[in-house]
Amino acid sequence: MKVAAEFNNVYDAEIAKGRLASEGIQSVIMNVSSPYPGVQMGRHGIQLMVNEEDLETAQMILDRAV
């Protein structure tokens, strides 16, 4: 799997995941490890991962204005 996008909070990552799902692209949210709901504490942002073959399409979908 490849990183399609990074986010500072899990809420934005979930919205992006839903956008991809509505276009038929499966994704997984990684690096969610915080004692505070919705806040990422690590040095890397919360990552939205997709299959390598879906990466370009996923990034185009996420780059489109909502």
Side-chain angles (χ1 to χ4, degrees):
M1 296 194 92
K2 298 285 186 173
V3 177
E6 287 190 345
F7 301 91
N8 291 323
N9 64 69
V10 71
Y11 303 116
D12 290 340
E14 288 287 354
I15 290 169
K17 182 177 180 179
R19 289 178 63 199
L20 294 181
S22 72
E23 299 282 343
I25 297 177
Q26 294 183 335
S27 61
V28 177
I29 296 173
M30 303 292 287
N31 290 347
V32 179
S33 59
S34 170
Y36 307 103
V39 177
Q40 170 61 26
M41 301 295 284
R43 32 178 253 206
H44 299 291
I46 296 169
Q47 297 176 327
L48 184 61
M49 311 288 289
V50 298
N51 290 322
E52 188 170 351
E53 60 269 14
D54 293 326
L55 180 61
E56 187 176 331
T57 303
Q59 289 174 330
M60 287 176 24
I61 292 166
L62 296 174
D63 286 343
R64 279 190 265 164
V66 181

